[in-house]
Amino acid sequence: MPQELLRIEAKKPGGNWTDPAVQFRKGVFCYSAAAKNVRALDLPNPRDWQPFDADWKLPPDWKRILLEGMKERLEKYRSFRLFMDICVRCGACADKCHFYVGSGDPKNMPVVRAELMRSVYRRYFTLTGRIFGRLAGGRELTEDIVKEWFYYFYQCTECRRCSVFCPYGIDTAEITMIGRELLNLIGCNTNWVLEPAANCFRTGNHLGIQPHGFKDSLEFAADELEEITGIRVDVPINRKGAEILFVMPSADYFAEPHYYTLLGYMMLFHEIGLDFTFSAFASEGGNFGLFSSHELMKRLNAKVYEEAKRLGVKWILGGECGHMWRVLHQYMDTMNGPADFLEEPVSPITGTKFENARSTRMVHICEFTADLIHSGKLRLDASRNDRWRVTYHDSCNPARSMGLLEEPRYIIRNACHRFFEMPENTIREQTFCCGSGAGLGTDENLEMRLRGGFPRANAVKYVQEKHGVNLLACICAIDKATLPTLLEYWAPGVEVGGVHELLGNALVMRGEKPRTTDLRGEPLSAEVTHA
């Protein structure tokens, strides 16, 4: 019951934070990666094990591997060494983490989570730590600390909310990323991260959907749109010479409520006559490498650009995804780019130059669509969304990592009559995370997901009670997958949908038959009741 999870103990804990002992109980951790997925990605130490086992079957020289790995990364990433050195423990980040707010566990304070690694850094990589050890804040690297790292670095969604409030600009998500990368060196990883990554290399997408299944899904969507609108839309796949390659998260063509967003994309592209193609090879925009290691992130990102080069497109358009956009905007230039073989994106409909994408050559669908609306290229009937009272969740990666704040709202306000913002300290740059990103959205981790998502759900519940909100719109596939469970628990009666689902509902297409239902098959005139 929600009342039970709300029993959060926020008093000063007993004992010492330096004690690394953790309890892997049901509901608060993710299962380990299957050996077959570790092998598929050429990662170290594939084996059968689980976090609740006493023996994790670590390599005999695991300690040397971790310390050498830390040394290599301290030399390679200047930011990592800087973040290890400059924290003054002011506590500005402490209550900004949704996992700390939802669990009351002091080790989920970003400052303490970083200290779990910083204490090992101090012991082995600073003069005072090597001489004075614990007196200088250092800790010996033990198997218990490895387990502690695994437990807490997989209770961080890398959302970067803490970094917004840090006076020194420390990005604790980068520390989490290094922590997970080090754990990967000794084979301590989770299946919810590595299986999608392995699938992406094997079949092109996280879900393991094969090319014929990809084609069938898109053609089924075209059939459904024909029933709703009376118009047959094209489904170009692997078409060489198209102007634009469109890349989306695989959930858009295989899961609900993502699927309705796909219908919105396809309607939009048909209506404006866009010269584009889907790809069965790059059938995944998401990048789970972000949750594992910099090298895996680089390898997965390269697939999109390899396909753009093979098909000979001019530039790339990307769908409603979260981590795809963080990878592109924060890491592309130093990992894979710049993409000089593509052209600087220019809208073929409005002539707008997307100068922000001159390096990545990839434009977010919300930027593209907002420009179309602003230029008067779309006819929208907002009354078709009158069954919804909408609020908007700023998905962490597009909002905080690429500054995509106003474009989704602009689309929503033009596609809907009734839009209500959540409290200011829970949106835009300060948005709360869904609590299930960064590979934590698995069912065995459900209690921690509900705890981590509580601050976001609480803000949704506020606008539900004040304004009767019954739809939470967002632009991230992980959000669309995990927020329904979160809201069913904390704010029952609120549905989840994509921004381009709302656009598709409102879009008046040339030659369409009289519309009687929205993209969910619900009558346009029906009112959705709310709790």
Side-chain angles (χ1 to χ4, degrees), residues 485-504:
T485 300
L486 182 74
L487 297 182
E488 184 180 0
Y489 190 84
W490 290 115
V494 180
E495 302 291 330
V496 177
V499 169
H500 279 77
E501 175 190 344
L502 296 173
L503 179 89

mmCIF file with all atom_site columns, all heavy atoms in Angstrom, residues 485-504:
data_model
loop_
_atom_site.group_PDB
_atom_site.id
_atom_site.type_symbol
_atom_site.label_atom_id
_atom_site.label_alt_id
_atom_site.label_comp_id
_atom_site.label_asym_id
_atom_site.label_entity_id
_atom_site.label_seq_id
_atom_site.pdbx_PDB_ins_code
_atom_site.Cartn_x
_atom_site.Cartn_y
_atom_site.Cartn_z
_atom_site.occupancy
_atom_site.B_iso_or_equiv
_atom_site.pdbx_formal_charge
_atom_site.auth_seq_id
_atom_site.auth_comp_id
_atom_site.auth_asym_id
_atom_site.auth_atom_id
_atom_site.pdbx_PDB_model_num
ATOM 1   N N   . THR A 1 485 ? 2.929  2.284  -14.396 1.00 0.00 ? 485 THR A N   1
ATOM 2   C CA  . THR A 1 485 ? 2.956  1.516  -13.142 1.00 0.00 ? 485 THR A CA  1
ATOM 3   C C   . THR A 1 485 ? 3.065  2.450  -11.946 1.00 0.00 ? 485 THR A C   1
ATOM 4   O O   . THR A 1 485 ? 2.389  2.263  -10.924 1.00 0.00 ? 485 THR A O   1
ATOM 5   C CB  . THR A 1 485 ? 4.148  0.541  -13.150 1.00 0.00 ? 485 THR A CB  1
ATOM 6   O OG1 . THR A 1 485 ? 4.015  -0.357 -14.258 1.00 0.00 ? 485 THR A OG1 1
ATOM 7   C CG2 . THR A 1 485 ? 4.198  -0.264 -11.856 1.00 0.00 ? 485 THR A CG2 1
ATOM 8   N N   . LEU A 1 486 ? 3.916  3.458  -12.075 1.00 0.00 ? 486 LEU A N   1
ATOM 9   C CA  . LEU A 1 486 ? 4.106  4.427  -10.992 1.00 0.00 ? 486 LEU A CA  1
ATOM 10  C C   . LEU A 1 486 ? 2.809  5.158  -10.670 1.00 0.00 ? 486 LEU A C   1
ATOM 11  O O   . LEU A 1 486 ? 2.420  5.284  -9.497  1.00 0.00 ? 486 LEU A O   1
ATOM 12  C CB  . LEU A 1 486 ? 5.193  5.429  -11.397 1.00 0.00 ? 486 LEU A CB  1
ATOM 13  C CG  . LEU A 1 486 ? 5.548  6.495  -10.364 1.00 0.00 ? 486 LEU A CG  1
ATOM 14  C CD1 . LEU A 1 486 ? 6.354  5.891  -9.234  1.00 0.00 ? 486 LEU A CD1 1
ATOM 15  C CD2 . LEU A 1 486 ? 6.328  7.628  -11.019 1.00 0.00 ? 486 LEU A CD2 1
ATOM 16  N N   . LEU A 1 487 ? 2.120  5.622  -11.712 1.00 0.00 ? 487 LEU A N   1
ATOM 17  C CA  . LEU A 1 487 ? 0.903  6.397  -11.490 1.00 0.00 ? 487 LEU A CA  1
ATOM 18  C C   . LEU A 1 487 ? -0.256 5.513  -11.042 1.00 0.00 ? 487 LEU A C   1
ATOM 19  O O   . LEU A 1 487 ? -1.114 5.955  -10.277 1.00 0.00 ? 487 LEU A O   1
ATOM 20  C CB  . LEU A 1 487 ? 0.537  7.155  -12.764 1.00 0.00 ? 487 LEU A CB  1
ATOM 21  C CG  . LEU A 1 487 ? 1.565  8.196  -13.217 1.00 0.00 ? 487 LEU A CG  1
ATOM 22  C CD1 . LEU A 1 487 ? 1.081  8.927  -14.459 1.00 0.00 ? 487 LEU A CD1 1
ATOM 23  C CD2 . LEU A 1 487 ? 1.880  9.195  -12.103 1.00 0.00 ? 487 LEU A CD2 1
ATOM 24  N N   . GLU A 1 488 ? -0.275 4.282  -11.514 1.00 0.00 ? 488 GLU A N   1
ATOM 25  C CA  . GLU A 1 488 ? -1.317 3.358  -11.041 1.00 0.00 ? 488 GLU A CA  1
ATOM 26  C C   . GLU A 1 488 ? -1.230 3.176  -9.535  1.00 0.00 ? 488 GLU A C   1
ATOM 27  O O   . GLU A 1 488 ? -2.242 2.978  -8.855  1.00 0.00 ? 488 GLU A O   1
ATOM 28  C CB  . GLU A 1 488 ? -1.167 2.020  -11.761 1.00 0.00 ? 488 GLU A CB  1
ATOM 29  C CG  . GLU A 1 488 ? -2.247 1.006  -11.415 1.00 0.00 ? 488 GLU A CG  1
ATOM 30  C CD  . GLU A 1 488 ? -2.071 -0.314 -12.137 1.00 0.00 ? 488 GLU A CD  1
ATOM 31  O OE1 . GLU A 1 488 ? -1.100 -0.447 -12.914 1.00 0.00 ? 488 GLU A OE1 1
ATOM 32  O OE2 . GLU A 1 488 ? -2.895 -1.214 -11.920 1.00 0.00 ? 488 GLU A OE2 1
ATOM 33  N N   . TYR A 1 489 ? -0.006 3.256  -9.008  1.00 0.00 ? 489 TYR A N   1
ATOM 34  C CA  . TYR A 1 489 ? 0.214  3.078  -7.569  1.00 0.00 ? 489 TYR A CA  1
ATOM 35  C C   . TYR A 1 489 ? -0.023 4.374  -6.802  1.00 0.00 ? 489 TYR A C   1
ATOM 36  O O   . TYR A 1 489 ? -0.735 4.384  -5.797  1.00 0.00 ? 489 TYR A O   1
ATOM 37  C CB  . TYR A 1 489 ? 1.650  2.590  -7.346  1.00 0.00 ? 489 TYR A CB  1
ATOM 38  C CG  . TYR A 1 489 ? 1.931  2.146  -5.924  1.00 0.00 ? 489 TYR A CG  1
ATOM 39  C CD1 . TYR A 1 489 ? 1.605  0.862  -5.503  1.00 0.00 ? 489 TYR A CD1 1
ATOM 40  C CD2 . TYR A 1 489 ? 2.536  3.004  -5.005  1.00 0.00 ? 489 TYR A CD2 1
ATOM 41  C CE1 . TYR A 1 489 ? 1.863  0.444  -4.202  1.00 0.00 ? 489 TYR A CE1 1
ATOM 42  C CE2 . TYR A 1 489 ? 2.792  2.593  -3.706  1.00 0.00 ? 489 TYR A CE2 1
ATOM 43  C CZ  . TYR A 1 489 ? 2.461  1.317  -3.310  1.00 0.00 ? 489 TYR A CZ  1
ATOM 44  O OH  . TYR A 1 489 ? 2.717  0.913  -2.018  1.00 0.00 ? 489 TYR A OH  1
ATOM 45  N N   . TRP A 1 490 ? 0.594  5.478  -7.277  1.00 0.00 ? 490 TRP A N   1
ATOM 46  C CA  . TRP A 1 490 ? 0.556  6.724  -6.502  1.00 0.00 ? 490 TRP A CA  1
ATOM 47  C C   . TRP A 1 490 ? -0.569 7.675  -6.916  1.00 0.00 ? 490 TRP A C   1
ATOM 48  O O   . TRP A 1 490 ? -1.045 8.464  -6.095  1.00 0.00 ? 490 TRP A O   1
ATOM 49  C CB  . TRP A 1 490 ? 1.885  7.472  -6.642  1.00 0.00 ? 490 TRP A CB  1
ATOM 50  C CG  . TRP A 1 490 ? 3.066  6.842  -5.977  1.00 0.00 ? 490 TRP A CG  1
ATOM 51  C CD1 . TRP A 1 490 ? 4.176  6.337  -6.578  1.00 0.00 ? 490 TRP A CD1 1
ATOM 52  C CD2 . TRP A 1 490 ? 3.287  6.657  -4.564  1.00 0.00 ? 490 TRP A CD2 1
ATOM 53  N NE1 . TRP A 1 490 ? 5.069  5.851  -5.658  1.00 0.00 ? 490 TRP A NE1 1
ATOM 54  C CE2 . TRP A 1 490 ? 4.545  6.045  -4.402  1.00 0.00 ? 490 TRP A CE2 1
ATOM 55  C CE3 . TRP A 1 490 ? 2.525  6.947  -3.431  1.00 0.00 ? 490 TRP A CE3 1
ATOM 56  C CZ2 . TRP A 1 490 ? 5.071  5.711  -3.159  1.00 0.00 ? 490 TRP A CZ2 1
ATOM 57  C CZ3 . TRP A 1 490 ? 3.056  6.616  -2.185  1.00 0.00 ? 490 TRP A CZ3 1
ATOM 58  C CH2 . TRP A 1 490 ? 4.312  6.008  -2.059  1.00 0.00 ? 490 TRP A CH2 1
ATOM 59  N N   . ALA A 1 491 ? -0.960 7.665  -8.202  1.00 0.00 ? 491 ALA A N   1
ATOM 60  C CA  . ALA A 1 491 ? -1.977 8.614  -8.688  1.00 0.00 ? 491 ALA A CA  1
ATOM 61  C C   . ALA A 1 491 ? -2.923 7.914  -9.661  1.00 0.00 ? 491 ALA A C   1
ATOM 62  O O   . ALA A 1 491 ? -2.973 8.247  -10.847 1.00 0.00 ? 491 ALA A O   1
ATOM 63  C CB  . ALA A 1 491 ? -1.307 9.812  -9.353  1.00 0.00 ? 491 ALA A CB  1
ATOM 64  N N   . PRO A 1 492 ? -3.676 6.928  -9.192  1.00 0.00 ? 492 PRO A N   1
ATOM 65  C CA  . PRO A 1 492 ? -4.557 6.176  -10.100 1.00 0.00 ? 492 PRO A CA  1
ATOM 66  C C   . PRO A 1 492 ? -5.552 7.081  -10.808 1.00 0.00 ? 492 PRO A C   1
ATOM 67  O O   . PRO A 1 492 ? -6.079 8.021  -10.216 1.00 0.00 ? 492 PRO A O   1
ATOM 68  C CB  . PRO A 1 492 ? -5.256 5.184  -9.164  1.00 0.00 ? 492 PRO A CB  1
ATOM 69  C CG  . PRO A 1 492 ? -5.020 5.671  -7.776  1.00 0.00 ? 492 PRO A CG  1
ATOM 70  C CD  . PRO A 1 492 ? -3.770 6.477  -7.795  1.00 0.00 ? 492 PRO A CD  1
ATOM 71  N N   . GLY A 1 493 ? -5.761 6.786  -12.088 1.00 0.00 ? 493 GLY A N   1
ATOM 72  C CA  . GLY A 1 493 ? -6.667 7.598  -12.891 1.00 0.00 ? 493 GLY A CA  1
ATOM 73  C C   . GLY A 1 493 ? -5.954 8.473  -13.891 1.00 0.00 ? 493 GLY A C   1
ATOM 74  O O   . GLY A 1 493 ? -6.600 9.056  -14.772 1.00 0.00 ? 493 GLY A O   1
ATOM 75  N N   . VAL A 1 494 ? -4.634 8.578  -13.791 1.00 0.00 ? 494 VAL A N   1
ATOM 76  C CA  . VAL A 1 494 ? -3.854 9.376  -14.743 1.00 0.00 ? 494 VAL A CA  1
ATOM 77  C C   . VAL A 1 494 ? -3.178 8.443  -15.740 1.00 0.00 ? 494 VAL A C   1
ATOM 78  O O   . VAL A 1 494 ? -2.450 7.529  -15.349 1.00 0.00 ? 494 VAL A O   1
ATOM 79  C CB  . VAL A 1 494 ? -2.793 10.239 -14.027 1.00 0.00 ? 494 VAL A CB  1
ATOM 80  C CG1 . VAL A 1 494 ? -2.002 11.062 -15.049 1.00 0.00 ? 494 VAL A CG1 1
ATOM 81  C CG2 . VAL A 1 494 ? -3.441 11.158 -12.999 1.00 0.00 ? 494 VAL A CG2 1
ATOM 82  N N   . GLU A 1 495 ? -3.437 8.670  -17.027 1.00 0.00 ? 495 GLU A N   1
ATOM 83  C CA  . GLU A 1 495 ? -2.832 7.882  -18.096 1.00 0.00 ? 495 GLU A CA  1
ATOM 84  C C   . GLU A 1 495 ? -1.513 8.537  -18.535 1.00 0.00 ? 495 GLU A C   1
ATOM 85  O O   . GLU A 1 495 ? -1.204 9.669  -18.152 1.00 0.00 ? 495 GLU A O   1
ATOM 86  C CB  . GLU A 1 495 ? -3.779 7.781  -19.291 1.00 0.00 ? 495 GLU A CB  1
ATOM 87  C CG  . GLU A 1 495 ? -5.128 7.160  -18.972 1.00 0.00 ? 495 GLU A CG  1
ATOM 88  C CD  . GLU A 1 495 ? -5.033 5.684  -18.662 1.00 0.00 ? 495 GLU A CD  1
ATOM 89  O OE1 . GLU A 1 495 ? -4.133 5.032  -19.210 1.00 0.00 ? 495 GLU A OE1 1
ATOM 90  O OE2 . GLU A 1 495 ? -5.864 5.197  -17.862 1.00 0.00 ? 495 GLU A OE2 1
ATOM 91  N N   . VAL A 1 496 ? -0.768 7.830  -19.367 1.00 0.00 ? 496 VAL A N   1
ATOM 92  C CA  . VAL A 1 496 ? 0.506  8.320  -19.883 1.00 0.00 ? 496 VAL A CA  1
ATOM 93  C C   . VAL A 1 496 ? 0.476  8.284  -21.400 1.00 0.00 ? 496 VAL A C   1
ATOM 94  O O   . VAL A 1 496 ? -0.043 7.320  -21.992 1.00 0.00 ? 496 VAL A O   1
ATOM 95  C CB  . VAL A 1 496 ? 1.687  7.468  -19.360 1.00 0.00 ? 496 VAL A CB  1
ATOM 96  C CG1 . VAL A 1 496 ? 3.013  7.938  -19.969 1.00 0.00 ? 496 VAL A CG1 1
ATOM 97  C CG2 . VAL A 1 496 ? 1.754  7.527  -17.834 1.00 0.00 ? 496 VAL A CG2 1
ATOM 98  N N   . GLY A 1 497 ? 1.005  9.315  -22.049 1.00 0.00 ? 497 GLY A N   1
ATOM 99  C CA  . GLY A 1 497 ? 1.023  9.352  -23.515 1.00 0.00 ? 497 GLY A CA  1
ATOM 100 C C   . GLY A 1 497 ? 2.156  10.195 -24.040 1.00 0.00 ? 497 GLY A C   1
ATOM 101 O O   . GLY A 1 497 ? 2.834  10.908 -23.289 1.00 0.00 ? 497 GLY A O   1
ATOM 102 N N   . GLY A 1 498 ? 2.360  10.140 -25.344 1.00 0.00 ? 498 GLY A N   1
ATOM 103 C CA  . GLY A 1 498 ? 3.414  10.912 -25.990 1.00 0.00 ? 498 GLY A CA  1
ATOM 104 C C   . GLY A 1 498 ? 2.897  12.225 -26.529 1.00 0.00 ? 498 GLY A C   1
ATOM 105 O O   . GLY A 1 498 ? 1.695  12.392 -26.785 1.00 0.00 ? 498 GLY A O   1
ATOM 106 N N   . VAL A 1 499 ? 3.795  13.163 -26.744 1.00 0.00 ? 499 VAL A N   1
ATOM 107 C CA  . VAL A 1 499 ? 3.433  14.464 -27.300 1.00 0.00 ? 499 VAL A CA  1
ATOM 108 C C   . VAL A 1 499 ? 2.891  14.301 -28.715 1.00 0.00 ? 499 VAL A C   1
ATOM 109 O O   . VAL A 1 499 ? 1.912  14.955 -29.109 1.00 0.00 ? 499 VAL A O   1
ATOM 110 C CB  . VAL A 1 499 ? 4.646  15.410 -27.277 1.00 0.00 ? 499 VAL A CB  1
ATOM 111 C CG1 . VAL A 1 499 ? 4.382  16.672 -28.100 1.00 0.00 ? 499 VAL A CG1 1
ATOM 112 C CG2 . VAL A 1 499 ? 4.991  15.790 -25.841 1.00 0.00 ? 499 VAL A CG2 1
ATOM 113 N N   . HIS A 1 500 ? 3.505  13.385 -29.503 1.00 0.00 ? 500 HIS A N   1
ATOM 114 C CA  . HIS A 1 500 ? 3.037  13.222 -30.884 1.00 0.00 ? 500 HIS A CA  1
ATOM 115 C C   . HIS A 1 500 ? 1.783  12.366 -30.988 1.00 0.00 ? 500 HIS A C   1
ATOM 116 O O   . HIS A 1 500 ? 1.161  12.325 -32.056 1.00 0.00 ? 500 HIS A O   1
ATOM 117 C CB  . HIS A 1 500 ? 4.172  12.702 -31.762 1.00 0.00 ? 500 HIS A CB  1
ATOM 118 C CG  . HIS A 1 500 ? 5.083  13.809 -32.189 1.00 0.00 ? 500 HIS A CG  1
ATOM 119 N ND1 . HIS A 1 500 ? 6.019  14.357 -31.333 1.00 0.00 ? 500 HIS A ND1 1
ATOM 120 C CD2 . HIS A 1 500 ? 5.174  14.508 -33.350 1.00 0.00 ? 500 HIS A CD2 1
ATOM 121 C CE1 . HIS A 1 500 ? 6.659  15.328 -31.954 1.00 0.00 ? 500 HIS A CE1 1
ATOM 122 N NE2 . HIS A 1 500 ? 6.160  15.444 -33.166 1.00 0.00 ? 500 HIS A NE2 1
ATOM 123 N N   . GLU A 1 501 ? 1.384  11.714 -29.921 1.00 0.00 ? 501 GLU A N   1
ATOM 124 C CA  . GLU A 1 501 ? 0.049  11.131 -29.891 1.00 0.00 ? 501 GLU A CA  1
ATOM 125 C C   . GLU A 1 501 ? -0.986 12.246 -29.884 1.00 0.00 ? 501 GLU A C   1
ATOM 126 O O   . GLU A 1 501 ? -1.970 12.211 -30.638 1.00 0.00 ? 501 GLU A O   1
ATOM 127 C CB  . GLU A 1 501 ? -0.143 10.248 -28.658 1.00 0.00 ? 501 GLU A CB  1
ATOM 128 C CG  . GLU A 1 501 ? -1.559 9.721  -28.521 1.00 0.00 ? 501 GLU A CG  1
ATOM 129 C CD  . GLU A 1 501 ? -1.852 9.041  -27.194 1.00 0.00 ? 501 GLU A CD  1
ATOM 130 O OE1 . GLU A 1 501 ? -0.894 8.706  -26.471 1.00 0.00 ? 501 GLU A OE1 1
ATOM 131 O OE2 . GLU A 1 501 ? -3.046 8.834  -26.873 1.00 0.00 ? 501 GLU A OE2 1
ATOM 132 N N   . LEU A 1 502 ? -0.750 13.256 -29.033 1.00 0.00 ? 502 LEU A N   1
ATOM 133 C CA  . LEU A 1 502 ? -1.674 14.388 -28.964 1.00 0.00 ? 502 LEU A CA  1
ATOM 134 C C   . LEU A 1 502 ? -1.685 15.142 -30.290 1.00 0.00 ? 502 LEU A C   1
ATOM 135 O O   . LEU A 1 502 ? -2.737 15.588 -30.762 1.00 0.00 ? 502 LEU A O   1
ATOM 136 C CB  . LEU A 1 502 ? -1.266 15.316 -27.822 1.00 0.00 ? 502 LEU A CB  1
ATOM 137 C CG  . LEU A 1 502 ? -1.342 14.708 -26.419 1.00 0.00 ? 502 LEU A CG  1
ATOM 138 C CD1 . LEU A 1 502 ? -0.758 15.656 -25.389 1.00 0.00 ? 502 LEU A CD1 1
ATOM 139 C CD2 . LEU A 1 502 ? -2.781 14.351 -26.063 1.00 0.00 ? 502 LEU A CD2 1
ATOM 140 N N   . LEU A 1 503 ? -0.512 15.297 -30.906 1.00 0.00 ? 503 LEU A N   1
ATOM 141 C CA  . LEU A 1 503 ? -0.448 15.961 -32.204 1.00 0.00 ? 503 LEU A CA  1
ATOM 142 C C   . LEU A 1 503 ? -1.248 15.169 -33.241 1.00 0.00 ? 503 LEU A C   1
ATOM 143 O O   . LEU A 1 503 ? -2.006 15.751 -34.027 1.00 0.00 ? 503 LEU A O   1
ATOM 144 C CB  . LEU A 1 503 ? 1.000  16.093 -32.668 1.00 0.00 ? 503 LEU A CB  1
ATOM 145 C CG  . LEU A 1 503 ? 1.124  16.769 -34.047 1.00 0.00 ? 503 LEU A CG  1
ATOM 146 C CD1 . LEU A 1 503 ? 1.224  18.277 -33.888 1.00 0.00 ? 503 LEU A CD1 1
ATOM 147 C CD2 . LEU A 1 503 ? 2.278  16.226 -34.849 1.00 0.00 ? 503 LEU A CD2 1
ATOM 148 N N   . GLY A 1 504 ? -1.078 13.825 -33.247 1.00 0.00 ? 504 GLY A N   1
ATOM 149 C CA  . GLY A 1 504 ? -1.812 13.005 -34.201 1.00 0.00 ? 504 GLY A CA  1
ATOM 150 C C   . GLY A 1 504 ? -3.310 13.094 -34.017 1.00 0.00 ? 504 GLY A C   1
ATOM 151 O O   . GLY A 1 504 ? -4.070 13.130 -34.997 1.00 0.00 ? 504 GLY A O   1
#
